[in-house]
Amino acid sequence: MKPAIFITLLFSCLLISSCNRTEKSNAAQWPYGVKYEIFVMSFADGDGNGKGDFKGLTMKLDYLKNLGVNGIWLMPIMPSDTYHKYHVIDYNNIDPDYGTLADFKIFIDEAHKRGIKVITDFVINHTGNMHPWFIQAQSGKNNVYRDYYVWAKKDSIRNQIHKKSVSFDSDNLRKWHPVNGDTLGEHYYGYFNGLCPDLNLDNPKVRDEILAIARFWLNEVKVDGFRMDAARHIFMDERAEDNHAFWVWFRKEMEKIKQDVYLVGEVWSDSKTVAPYLKGLPSLFNFDLGNAITNVAYSGMDTIGLVKKYKDISDYYKSVTTEYLDATFIKNHDQTRLLTELKGDLNKARMAAALLLTLPGTPYLYYGEEIGMVGDKLKTYEDFFGPDAYVREPFIWDVGDKDPLQTSWEKPAFSTDKTVTPVSVQQSNPGSLLNFYKKLILYRNSSLPLTQGDIEESGITVSEVVSFTRKFKAQEELIIHNVSDVEVTLRLDDENKKFNDVAYTSADSFTLKDGELKLPAFCTVILK
Ligand SMILES: [Ca+2]
């Protein structure tokens, strides 16, 4: 590196650190900022039984604070008879695996003290089949809970019973299910499977129950919002418009309970299907983007026109609602882990993270992504938990059981201290994946263009490069990613030459001179 450039870099580094103090709190203001999805069972075990819980999670809040996240999404925490807890059997409590309501309230309090908000999965499309409502509902047509669920005479659904329909989020072919020992000749509707019967949200009594539950969590327990599971399945597929209207109603009711409630929804589908949901749920997970980022990072080429594709969809959503706030992510708890899809290439994992953390929206990290956890959903499985458990394995704090909060509820098939470098080791290595995340999140949190700004194409069209500008009021940044494994030399055009300050770079060997950039393989640069 030439001395003049070294001085420029040093000077801009000094500028960044002095700016951090003044701008940081503004830029990453809620609901902006980086979020972190947690499967509590696998995170931190506070009482030594191997299962993660809120005592443990509370003790690890500083880890999340240091990582730079300002929001946590907890996968379901209510009592359930399934390990993943998506089949709720009591809406007003904490699953005993995770502790008590009192533990949870302490956790919320401690998170809030650190400036971290907490949202929980709220599963209202269905209950578990062991929920007392469903147990009652099966007892007879006159039971008061019968109408809490969706029933049909067996004859009336004969041609639908084996109807083939597969969607992004379900490969279940059978939506109608018989009741064991039933003499009433009716089947119940369960979109995902027979173990989780769909609630009848046409029934005002069920809606009242849902509102009472929300009041409990928002007012009494003080969670900051909800992640709404299976948002597109509230009513059957052919009632899409009723689904859209439901969420408008739901949001209005939630805002009556807590004016600044944060809601993010799961509508796992293409953008055309997603768009009408934005009126009720202005934050929805961007599944397309997660796939696109993985694709570009893996191939080392931008063959899909990532920025244009992103912008087209985002502009389309903004035409539906001006409140649109993209919930971006690479992978979640239902998908094969990022590093596994990238065939274990850590450089590519860094690039995927760099793309996520420089694009618009509120990026969600899936726990373990930042330390390079692995897990393949498609592996043939023979154990009790099923394939998803392989992408929800224990987080790795230290070597062996050195960390007293290490969870061990399942025997990991993929992520162990042999295949993943533990947190403790990564923390002391400045070049680790974990420190890569930390440094870039720290920068993002200090930058208004990155956290809240618009996105435009930069005019740089080289297939090894993904480049765009981010602009917030008068502040503008040019982001350039060399997604390939070879060095790329670029000459900035007159329009882009105004960006001559290096605000962030992932590689020390990067150079900028007279508008000419030399980007080493897998290098990300942010210019101001
Ligand atoms: Ca425990």
Side-chain angles (χ1 to χ4, degrees), residues 45-47 49 51-53 97:
D45 172 22
D47 64 4
N49 67 355
K51 296 175 176 178
D53 48 50
D97 282 342

Side-chain angles (χ1 to χ4, degrees), residues 341-396:
E341 283 218 10
L342 299 177
K343 306 273 189 283
D345 189 326
L346 281 165
N347 284 319
K348 292 179 177 176
R350 279 167 209 249
M351 184 44 66
L355 289 166
L356 177 76
L357 292 168
T358 51
L359 284 165
T362 57
Y364 280 74
L365 312 179
Y366 180 45
Y367 85 93
E369 221 161 58
E370 79 281 19
I371 57 168
M373 280 177 66
V374 281
D376 190 348
K377 216 179 124 126
L378 299 176
K379 190 193 162 190
T380 320
Y381 61 96
E382 53 287 313
D383 67 21
F384 169 75
F385 295 115
D388 288 337
Y390 290 124
V391 299
R392 303 169 186 172
E393 291 181 338
F395 191 71
I396 301 165

Side-chain angles (χ1 to χ4, degrees), residues 210-228:
I210 298 298
L211 297 185
I213 295 160
R215 243 175 254 128
F216 171 73
W217 290 97
L218 294 171
N219 287 347
E220 203 175 316
V221 188
K222 306 270 186 251
V223 303
D224 299 286
F226 300 121
R227 178 261 185 188
M228 303 309 300

Side-chain angles (χ1 to χ4, degrees), residues 262-477:
Y262 173 89
L263 301 173
V264 57
E266 178 202 28
V267 178
W268 193 341
S269 194
D270 54 275
S271 50
K272 225 181 142 177
T273 309
V274 168
Y277 285 89
L278 290 164
K279 290 212 161 132
L281 295 165
S283 254
L284 290 170
F285 287 110
N286 191 335
F287 284 85
D288 282 349
L289 181 69
N291 294 334
I293 287 176
T294 309
N295 186 323
V296 168
Y298 181 67
S299 64
M301 293 263 250
D302 184 11
T303 51
I304 52 173
L306 180 73
V307 179
K308 186 178 185 312
K309 197 178 161 201
Y310 179 84
K311 210 179 130 50
D312 285 350
I313 294 176
S314 147
D315 288 349
Y316 171 44
Y317 288 171
K318 279 182 193 155
S319 73
V320 178
T321 169
T322 52
E323 295 171 296
Y324 168 64
L325 178 62
D326 199 5
T328 58
F329 69 105
I330 308 176
K331 299 290 166 200
N332 70 15
H333 62 278
D334 285 326
Q335 300 171 309
T336 289
R337 279 192 177 270
L338 174 66
L339 192 56
T340 300
E341 283 218 10
L342 299 177
K343 306 273 189 283
D345 189 326
L346 281 165
N347 284 319
K348 292 179 177 176
R350 279 167 209 249
M351 184 44 66
L355 289 166
L356 177 76
L357 292 168
T358 51
L359 284 165
T362 57
Y364 280 74
L365 312 179
Y366 180 45
Y367 85 93
E369 221 161 58
E370 79 281 19
I371 57 168
M373 280 177 66
V374 281
D376 190 348
K377 216 179 124 126
L378 299 176
K379 190 193 162 190
T380 320
Y381 61 96
E382 53 287 313
D383 67 21
F384 169 75
F385 295 115
D388 288 337
Y390 290 124
V391 299
R392 303 169 186 172
E393 291 181 338
F395 191 71
I396 301 165
W397 293 102
D398 208 333
V399 179
D401 54 5
K402 241 171 107 181
D403 190 303
L405 304 186
Q406 179 63 45
T407 67
S408 58
W409 68 276
E410 69 167 334
K411 192 176 177 312
F414 289 91
S415 291
T416 67
D417 61 3
K418 304 282 181 296
T419 57
V420 179
T421 310
V423 170
S424 62
V425 179
Q426 294 205 32
Q427 273 170 334
S428 53
N429 173 8
S432 68
L433 181 63
L434 176 60
N435 279 319
F436 176 86
Y437 267 89
K438 259 194 204 170
K439 184 184 166 195
L440 188 48
I441 293 171
L442 182 69
Y443 180 73
R444 183 184 173 95
N445 286 347
S446 74
S447 161
L448 281 163
L450 284 196
T451 43
Q452 302 186 34
D454 295 329
I455 183 168
E456 291 294 339
E457 292 179 81
S458 71
I460 297 172
T461 50
V462 177
S463 59
E464 288 84 5
V465 167
V466 173
S467 173
F468 46 91
T469 60
R470 300 289 313 277
K471 189 173 182 180
F472 182 84
K473 294 182 184 158
Q475 298 181 44
E476 196 173 3
E477 298 183 2

